[in-house]
Amino acid sequence: MSWAETAGTGIEDGGILRSLGALLLLVSTPPFTIALWSIFVQHQGSVTSFGLYLSDSANWRPFLASLPTVSWEAAYNIAAFGAFEAILQLAVPGKEFLGPISPKGNRPVYKANGVECYFLTLVAFFLCWKYAVFDPARVYDQFGEILNILNIFGNALCLFLTFKGKYFPSSTDSGSTGSFLFDYFWGTELYPRIGKSFDIKQWTNCRMGLMGWSILPLCFLAKQVEQTGKASNSMVICCVLMNIYIFKFFLWETGYFCTMDIAHDRAGFYLCWGCLVWVPSVYTSPALHLVHHPIDLSPACAGTITALGVLMIYINWAADEQRKIFRSTGGKAKVWGREPKYITAKYKTGKGETKTSLLLLSGWWGIARHFHYIPEILASFFWTAPALFTYAMPYFYVAYLTILLFDRAYRDDARCAAKYGKYWEAYKDHVPYKVVPFVL
Ligand code: NDP
């Protein structure tokens, strides 16, 4: 059986348990994003206050009445941001980048213009703020409405993608599990495009999700300034570390085109709704929490948290970049000053062609098979730590990310084992730990 016939296709088995799991996530996650908004905005980040309030049935009616609805202003802001990012994605020049060979043997082409688009977005944001074209503090006021509209748009897009993949796919890398529910959840297409060059996954994941994540904390900072007359250093550290992380992401965006999100996971609710709604709701939440908690840290504490946060972002980037350079030079570049050790692994595409990939055994990739997830988790801890430890809720993203990445390490191991067979077993013999050296 070839890789394309197994987990490598990304068309996961839509068995009853998986379908039930998908249904549970489909119905629970959109209201969860609004509950999270309520905890941070209406209950100042206290899950106890939120729980106690709802434990009294007399509060249910006023609670429902207090929930956000939709507004033209919020819809306009999202439409303007989405259109601006789409125009940048298409119009800003960049080198052509060839994505990895898909299970069906296709090779998507991208434009590598992430860093330019990131800086243009920040410049446009600050100019619009300075010249009062829009008030970023209003984004905080409208955040509940924004999440509602993103939820509606995200689900509509997933419906469109389900049918597009079935009836007019952009490439042969599309297919159905036979279950509409699971197709909607998981997606039908690997590389959906509008026309030849507008890549929908690049737009939802990188340009809406990640770019939105860079801007929203700055809007929350603007709200804190409006409320208190200044930005606390905890808010500044949180925004700066998140933005260094996002800059690092765009510096490595072409590497992202070779990861599981793009090369394996399909464009459905899990990925596209996740990037359009879950990212703005959950990933930005430490900064949302800080709006009502203008903590000023001592210079020593602020400096230590910032330095450790930057170090973790650097290690995570260095590991991703090491693998990217290693692969792009065909194993010729030195790793930590030495000739790298590696395995030349063979696998079969869906067309039955035999291809090879190099698996690095040195550097960060020799410590554990997914060691780079550790600095990713710690970076998120350090941009949350300025909120200190009075409330648990700001750490929700850290906890969620830890579960996500450990699950991802298992999924990726299973995918690579199916793809590479005995070569993956040989990699495991050299590097026995999945994530944490000597532990797991
Ligand atoms: P990974 O970086 O874990 O890449 C996995 C792929 O890399 C494998 O499927 C395999 O692909 C290839 N690979 C595995 N081992 C080796 C090796 N030894 N040498 C060469 N190639 C190898 O992908 P992720 O998408 O999980 O992570 C990418 C980045 O995104 C990380 O920095 C991660 O921390 C971050 N991330 C952040 C998330 C968030 O929500 N904040 C969520 C997920 C990831 P192939 O088929 O090409 O061989």
Side-chain angles (χ1 to χ4, degrees):
M1 192 181 264
S2 79
W3 163 50
E5 288 163 306
T6 64
T9 57
I11 305 171
E12 306 290 334
D13 171 34
I16 187 84
L17 273 181
R18 272 181 172 271
S19 292
L20 278 177
L23 184 64
L24 190 69
L25 287 173
L26 284 171
V27 297
S28 64
T29 46
F32 183 84
T33 60
I34 301 302
L36 209 59
W37 168 87
S38 174
I39 292 170
F40 284 114
V41 174
Q42 297 181 316
H43 296 269
Q44 274 77 51
S46 168
V47 76
T48 316
S49 152
F50 178 75
L52 284 175
Y53 181 70
L54 283 189
S55 65
D56 182 350
S57 59
N59 290 327
W60 291 0
R61 206 181 268 263
F63 171 70
L64 289 176
S66 75
L67 289 180
T69 53
V70 290
S71 72
W72 284 114
E73 184 184 348
Y76 171 79
N77 280 337
I78 294 167
F81 181 70
F84 180 68
E85 290 306 326
I87 291 167
L88 290 185
Q89 184 177 322
L90 284 170
V92 173
K95 272 195 192 155
E96 193 177 273
F97 179 80
L98 287 176
I101 300 165
S102 74
K104 292 283 170 73
N106 300 312
R107 197 133 197 217
V109 182
Y110 298 95
K111 206 196 275 184
N113 60 6
V115 172
E116 294 82 349
C117 293
Y118 171 70
F119 282 117
L120 283 170
T121 301
L122 282 186
V123 168
F125 173 81
F126 283 113
L127 286 178
C128 286
W129 189 359
K130 180 169 161 52
Y131 293 106
V133 176
F134 101 114
D135 175 6
R138 285 284 302 153
V139 172
Y140 172 87
D141 300 335
Q142 293 265 311
F143 195 46
E145 281 90 339
I146 287 176
L147 289 175
N148 273 340
I149 291 170
L150 284 174
N151 263 314
I152 294 167
F153 174 69
N155 276 289
L157 181 73
C158 293
L159 202 58
F160 164 75
L161 289 171
T162 310
F163 285 109
K164 178 181 163 346
K166 239 176 152 181
Y167 299 112
F168 44 103
S170 300
S171 80
T172 49
D173 282 297
S174 73
S176 166
T177 58
S179 150
F180 174 79
L181 180 74
F182 204 74
D183 283 351
Y184 180 82
F185 177 77
W186 185 247
T188 47
E189 274 196 273
L190 203 48
Y191 300 110
R193 295 203 164 190
I194 294 176
K196 235 183 129 189
S197 42
F198 186 70
D199 189 275
I200 297 179
K201 260 162 100 179
Q202 185 182 6
W203 181 73
T204 53
N205 298 19
C206 308
R207 306 312 169 86
M208 289 296 280
L210 268 288
M211 214 69 93
W213 182 11
S214 98
I215 294 301
L216 281 167
L218 298 173
C219 296
F220 303 154
L221 181 148
K223 183 65 189 178
Q224 194 182 65
V225 173
E226 184 192 272
Q227 276 181 347
T228 65
K230 74 178 200 46
S232 61
N233 67 5
S234 52
M235 179 65 105
V236 172
I237 293 169
C238 180
C239 290
V240 167
L241 285 179
M242 282 180 175
N243 267 280
I244 293 175
Y245 175 87
I246 292 156
F247 167 67
K248 172 228 72 154
F249 172 85
F250 283 110
L251 206 56
W252 166 82
E253 194 188 30
T254 51
Y256 179 66
F257 298 145
C258 307
T259 65
M260 283 177 75
D261 278 7
I262 301 291
H264 172 63
D265 294 350
R266 295 183 169 246
F269 183 89
Y270 174 78
L271 197 64
C272 295
W273 177 89
C275 290
L276 283 171
V277 193
W278 190 255
V279 169
S281 161
V282 174
Y283 288 37
T284 65
S285 60
L288 185 64
H289 175 82
L290 287 169
V291 171
H292 291 295
H293 302 276
I295 300 161
D296 267 313
L297 304 167
S298 70
C301 182
T304 308
I305 290 176
T306 309
L308 290 173
V310 172
L311 179 68
M312 292 307 133
I313 295 170
Y314 170 77
I315 294 175
N316 173 258
W317 173 81
D320 284 331
E321 191 68 5
Q322 190 173 68
R323 184 192 46 187
K324 190 174 112 180
I325 293 174
F326 163 74
R327 281 251 171 116
S328 65
T329 57
K332 295 205 169 51
K334 288 198 169 164
V335 170
W336 290 353
R338 292 175 177 201
E339 296 302 326
K341 286 188 198 157
Y342 60 85
I343 292 172
T344 305
K346 291 198 171 103
Y347 66 95
K348 271 206 166 91
T349 69
K351 287 180 186 163
E353 295 164 334
T354 301
K355 303 260 178 194
T356 54
S357 280
L358 303 185
L359 296 174
L360 180 58
L361 306 176
S362 307
W364 300 108
W365 297 83
I367 298 176
R369 298 195 295 280
H370 295 87
F371 175 75
H372 59 321
Y373 289 164
I374 302 286
E376 171 92 31
I377 293 165
L378 288 175
S380 70
F381 171 80
F382 286 115
W383 66 59
T384 310
L388 300 179
F389 302 99
T390 317
Y391 295 88
M393 272 317 276
Y395 293 88
F396 176 76
Y397 172 64
V398 184
Y400 154 79
L401 184 69
T402 307
I403 296 166
L404 175 92
L405 291 182
F406 275 83
D407 171 65
R408 204 173 169 92
Y410 278 92
R411 285 204 304 134
D412 191 49
D413 244 38
R415 188 187 83 91
C416 290
K419 180 176 177 182
Y420 297 120
K422 63 179 181 188
Y423 301 100
W424 192 254
E425 289 307 315
Y427 178 34
K428 281 165 75 175
D429 287 343
H430 279 92
V431 185
Y433 297 101
K434 216 175 258 165
V435 185
V436 189
F438 308 109
V439 180
L440 184 81

